[in-house]
C-alpha cells in the first residue's frame, strides 16, 4: 500500500514565521540541541527526543523563550528545581511530585497582561455574531479597574471568587482581576442547575460571585437570575454578587443579597487603585 500523502504542507515562508521555528533556531544558537537541519528545516525528531530525554533542560529553554515574568534571583535561575517526581504516574504530592519549577514565584495574570498595545486581545462572538473586541491596552485597564473593586471589597490572597458566567469578556476580566490579587478563582457554566453550582461553590465558600443575567443557546434566551437568587440564599459566605446585564440593558436585582451591576461595581470607587505589579506566588 502506498504511503498516504499529507493533505497540506506549509510553505517555507510560513514555517519560518512559526514560534516552533524560532524556538528551534534559538536552541541551535545556544548549543542546547541542533534542532534545525543543514537545509534549514526543523528537525522534529531531534527536538522531541531532547524534550523526552532531557526535560530538565528542555523546559527551562521553553520558559526563557516564552519570556515568563517572574521574580528574578541574581546570578541564578528563578527556581530551585526544574522537575521532581516525573516518573510518578499519580496525583501531585508536595514532596514526591510531579512538581515543576519549585521555588519560582510568578503571577498568571501578570504574564497574560504584559502587553499594553492596540492589538486585539479578546474578540467576543455569540449566536448573533460579533459583539465587540478589547485591545490589550483596554483589557489591562479593565482588569485594573476590576482588581481595584475587588480590593475595595477586601479580597486578597487566598480568598475565593466564583463565577456563574458564560464565555464573555467580563468573565475573563474578573478571572484576571482575582488572579492578580492572589485570590482563588472557580467558575461553572450558566447551564448548570442549582445543585451542580452548590456542589462546586458550596465547598469553597466564595466571598464574591460574578453572574450574568442569562445567556443564549440555540436561538433561545435563558434567564439565570432565578437560579442566582437561590444560590445566594444557600451559600452564606457570598458577600457581593456582581451581575453582568448580558441579555438586556437593565436587570432586576430584587431578592439577590448584595447584588450590584458590573458597571456600578467597577466604577463605584474610581479613587481605588492597585499597583501595576501583581502579587506573585509560588509556582
Amino acid at each position: 500500500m502506498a504511503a498516504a500523502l499529507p493533505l497540506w504542507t506549509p510553505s517555507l515562508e510560513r514555517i519560518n514565521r512559526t514560534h516552533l521555528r524560532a524556538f528551534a533556531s534559538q536552541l541551535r544558537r545556544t548549543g542546547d540541541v541542533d534542532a534545525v537541519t543543514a537545509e534549514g528545516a526543523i528537525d522534529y525528531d531531534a527536538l522531541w527526543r531532547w524534550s523526552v530525554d532531557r526535560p530538565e533542560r528542555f523546559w527551562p529553554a521553553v520558559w526563557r523563550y516564552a519570556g515568563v515574568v517572574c521574580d528574578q534571583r541574581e546570578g541564578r535561575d528563578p527556581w530551585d528545581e526544574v522537575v521532581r517526581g516525573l516518573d510518578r504516574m499519580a496525583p501531585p504530592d508536595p514532596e514526591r511530585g510531579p512538581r515543576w519549577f519549585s521555588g519560582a514565584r510568578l503571577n498568571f495574570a501578570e504574564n497574560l497582561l504584559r502587553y499594553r498595545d492596540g492589538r486585539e486581545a479578546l474578540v467576543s462572538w455569540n449566536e448573533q455574531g460579533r459583539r465587540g473586541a478589547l485591545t490589550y491596552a483596554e483589557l489591562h485597564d479593565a482588569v485594573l479597574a476590576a482588581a481595584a473593586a475587588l480590593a475595595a471589597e477586601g479580597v486578597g490572597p487566598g480568598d475565593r471568587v466564583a463565577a456563574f458566567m458564560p464565555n464573555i469578556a467580563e468573565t475573563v476580566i474578573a478571572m484576571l482581576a482575582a488572579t492578580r490579587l492572589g485570590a482563588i478563582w472557580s467558575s461553572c457554566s450558566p447551564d448548570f442547575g442549582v445543585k451542580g453550582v452548590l456542589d462546586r461553590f458550596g465547598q469553597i465558600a466564595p466571598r464574591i460571585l460574578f453572574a450574568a443575567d442569562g445567556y443564549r443557546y440555540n436561538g433561545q434566551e435563558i434567564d439565570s437570575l432565578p437560579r442566582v437568587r437561590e444560590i445566594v440564599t444557600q451559600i452564606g459566605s457570598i458577600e457581593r454578587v456582581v451581575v453582568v446585564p448580558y441579555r438586556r440593558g437593565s436587570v432586576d436585582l430584587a431578592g439577590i443579597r448584595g447584588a450590584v451591576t458590573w458597571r456600578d461595581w467597577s466604577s463605584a470607587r474610581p479613587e481605588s487603585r492597585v499597583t501595576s505589579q501583581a502579587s506573585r506566588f509560588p509556582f
Side-chain angles (χ1 to χ4, degrees):
M1 180 181 295
L5 296 176
L7 297 176
W8 175 79
T9 301
S11 66
L12 182 60
E13 180 185 4
R14 294 191 68 155
I15 293 173
N16 287 337
R17 293 202 308 264
T18 64
H19 278 293
L20 184 59
R21 172 55 191 258
F23 177 58
S25 297
Q26 176 178 291
L27 295 178
R28 187 175 193 180
R29 289 194 301 272
T30 58
D32 285 313
V33 65
D34 193 0
V36 179
T37 68
E39 294 76 23
I42 299 172
D43 189 337
Y44 292 97
D45 185 68
L47 192 58
W48 170 78
R49 176 49 58 192
W50 187 58
S51 73
V52 173
D53 292 343
R54 300 299 301 273
E56 76 285 355
R57 293 184 61 188
F58 174 80
W59 290 108
V62 173
W63 178 294
R64 295 187 180 99
Y65 175 78
V68 174
V69 180
C70 62
D71 282 348
Q72 297 297 321
R73 301 175 180 178
E74 187 175 355
R76 54 179 294 205
D77 291 328
W79 52 79
D80 299 325
E81 188 177 18
V82 174
V83 62
R84 177 189 302 171
L86 191 58
D87 57 339
R88 291 189 73 243
M89 295 297 292
D93 179 271
E95 293 301 323
R96 295 181 296 165
R99 186 174 181 185
W100 293 88
F101 296 107
S102 58
R105 295 178 63 87
L106 56 84
N107 186 286
F108 180 63
E110 185 180 17
N111 277 271
L112 292 187
L113 295 170
R114 70 176 71 185
Y115 304 114
R116 313 282 172 81
D117 54 43
R119 292 175 298 160
E120 290 184 339
L122 289 179
V123 180
S124 300
W125 289 76
N126 63 14
E127 292 181 352
Q128 297 176 319
R130 181 179 169 120
R131 296 188 66 239
L134 287 175
T135 66
Y136 280 102
E138 291 168 337
L139 177 61
H140 176 267
D141 291 346
V143 171
L144 277 186
L150 283 173
E153 301 277 6
V155 173
D159 287 326
R160 277 77 64 198
V161 176
F164 185 50
M165 296 269 280
N167 289 326
I168 57 178
E170 288 86 352
T171 309
V172 178
I173 293 167
M175 180 275 291
L176 290 172
T179 305
R180 186 180 189 88
L181 297 175
I184 297 169
W185 172 265
S186 181
S187 67
C188 64
S189 169
D191 61 3
F192 272 42
V194 172
K195 185 179 184 304
V197 177
L198 295 176
D199 286 345
R200 177 168 294 191
F201 295 160
Q203 59 185 315
I204 65 170
R207 293 184 57 192
I208 310 293
L209 175 67
F210 290 92
D213 63 338
Y215 61 100
R216 295 181 177 90
Y217 177 72
N218 198 26
Q220 296 182 337
E221 287 193 354
I222 293 89
D223 187 357
S224 296
L225 292 183
R227 281 171 291 157
V228 173
R229 291 185 178 92
E230 188 172 350
I231 291 163
V232 174
T233 299
Q234 298 196 48
I235 301 180
S237 64
I238 296 175
E239 303 168 9
R240 174 69 69 196
V241 182
V242 183
V243 179
V244 177
Y246 178 56
R247 296 184 305 135
R248 292 176 171 79
S250 61
V251 293
D252 179 10
L253 302 181
I256 305 177
R257 185 183 71 252
V260 64
T261 65
W262 174 281
R263 181 184 296 274
D264 290 343
W265 173 77
S266 61
S267 60
R269 294 180 175 86
E271 75 282 359
S272 297
R273 294 291 183 268
V274 292
T275 61
S276 60
Q277 178 160 308
S279 300
R280 293 171 178 156
F281 301 91
F283 188 54

